[in-house]
Amino acid sequence: MIATSTLEISSKAYRQNIRYIRSEIGPKPIISAVVKGNAYGHGISQMVEIAEKAGIRHFSTFSSDEAWEVWNKSKKGSEIMILGMLHLEELEEIIRKGISFYVFDFERLEKAISISKQIGIPAKLHIEIETGFHRTGFDWSQRTKLADLLLKNSAGISIEGLCTHYAGAESVSNFVRVNNQIARYHEFKDFFHEKGITFKLYHTACSAAALIFPETIMDLVRIGIAGYGFWPTKETFFAKLNSLPKGNKNPLKRLITWKSSIMSLKAVKTGEFVGYGNSYMALENIRLAIVPVGYGHGYSRLLSNQGMVLIKGQYCQVVGTVTMNTIAVNVSKVRDLKIGDEVILIGKQGGKEITVASFSESTQQVNYEMLTRLPKDIPRKIIP
Ligand SMILES: *Cc1c(COP(=O)(O)O)cnc(C)c1O
């Protein structure tokens, strides 16, 4: 089977990104590669392979199904941490496999304690606390009950981490909110210490926090978007710009290249409309290339009349609406085209580049969303 497009994932770019992140966070903290959302669209199994080769041995997933994918692919001894959803029915298997997980309510905590006792294997728990994100996490008001439960059962469980997540560390407009969160985290930490509870790993930072709030870097950092070569926002990039090496070259490198090929070529006369409806009318005689990638493949409909692709090293504009399975691009300026010629949807060709950012800006989608919408069935190929 040959798919209508392919994604190439660069191992070299990942190594470069990890080197940069390491230079920012110092030698000690563990880097946990966040591989939720099918590794931000890059493919969990491909990313586990690439990351392990780059020396990463800690992975974070949102849910248990993703954790099993990492489990199946990763080397023995790599750690897996579930940040979000798991079904209590699966908890025993998760504990048996030594997969660690966030605990943010008493229901999950009590269940984990009882299973640990029953099977004689300590569950590896990361206690998530509410510091202001208001999604998951134990509230300040629950601290005493929480501490009592942990103390009473400390023999049967493994208290791996104390963690929280910041509400928008990627923007200075949230500066006050993030600083309040950091302060609240330390209040929790001090409270537990007074109770005699210590944690193996203290961790709070995502990419943005690790890059622009150095005080959030503790024993472990949970790095998602930056590992894939994207700045969490433009603002984070500008905030770092001054500290970058001479020449201000962007130290983060995109891993992903998205390629397809020309399915068909067609001439359209002045005054004719292209595609559904009448969103595009040819103002002169034009030539089109039809590319077999549409919104069903993750190429947003919002790129209708907006998107650009590269063919033979030249920018070509998407004309008319993006359909479920195709786009039409204006190739009037490109010579000697034939069916099967390469089309770059994201990536470089002939010294020019289509970035995910250009893409996302024109559609108001953030990098994160565009990437994770790439369907799982597009083949992902690791390139060295
Ligand atoms: C997604 C996520 C991260 C990683 O965020 P990035 O901005 O991609 O680095 C870290 N921690 C938690 C809890 C998350 O949900």
Side-chain angles (χ1 to χ4, degrees), residues 106 109 113 142-154 191-192 195 197:
F106 288 115
L109 179 58
I113 290 170
Q142 296 174 308
R143 68 191 183 286
T144 309
K145 181 177 173 193
L146 176 59
D148 291 347
L149 257 174
L150 293 176
L151 280 171
K152 201 170 116 216
N153 297 286
S154 61
F191 167 79
F192 286 119
K195 289 270 179 184
I197 301 167

Side-chain angles (χ1 to χ4, degrees), residues 72-142:
N72 287 332
K73 183 73 192 181
S74 61
K75 290 192 184 128
K76 210 163 167 255
S78 282
E79 287 284 334
I80 304 168
M81 177 167 81
I82 299 171
L83 310 174
M85 184 61 192
L86 57 83
H87 293 278
L88 294 182
E89 300 93 293
E90 280 184 295
L91 205 47
E92 179 175 338
E93 199 53 28
I94 289 167
I95 295 170
R96 283 189 187 280
K97 293 289 196 308
I99 295 173
S100 67
F101 51 94
Y102 273 34
V103 171
F104 35 70
D105 55 39
F106 288 115
E107 194 174 13
R108 189 181 284 190
L109 179 58
E110 279 160 5
K111 184 87 183 167
I113 290 170
S114 83
I115 293 173
S116 296
K117 277 189 190 151
Q118 213 180 328
I119 64 175
I121 300 172
K124 296 160 94 172
L125 312 177
H126 292 263
I127 303 297
E128 187 187 18
I129 51 179
E130 178 58 72
T131 58
F133 189 38
H134 294 119
R135 199 176 50 179
T136 48
F138 285 101
D139 274 323
W140 180 242
S141 63
Q142 296 174 308

Side-chain angles (χ1 to χ4, degrees), residues 34 36 40 83 135 165 206-207 222-225 368:
V34 180
K36 65 191 183 192
Y40 294 51
L83 310 174
R135 199 176 50 179
H165 190 51
C206 58
S207 300
R222 305 181 304 259
I223 301 293
I225 199 80
Y368 295 81

Side-chain angles (χ1 to χ4, degrees), residues 60 109 168 246 285 355:
S60 296
L109 179 58
K246 265 193 225 107
N285 289 341
T355 63

Side-chain angles (χ1 to χ4, degrees), residues 311-331:
I311 300 176
K312 297 236 161 133
Q314 298 203 49
Y315 289 112
C316 304
Q317 171 136 29
V318 172
V319 296
T321 50
V322 173
T323 69
M324 185 189 294
N325 301 106
T326 60
I327 49 174
V329 296
N330 187 339
V331 290

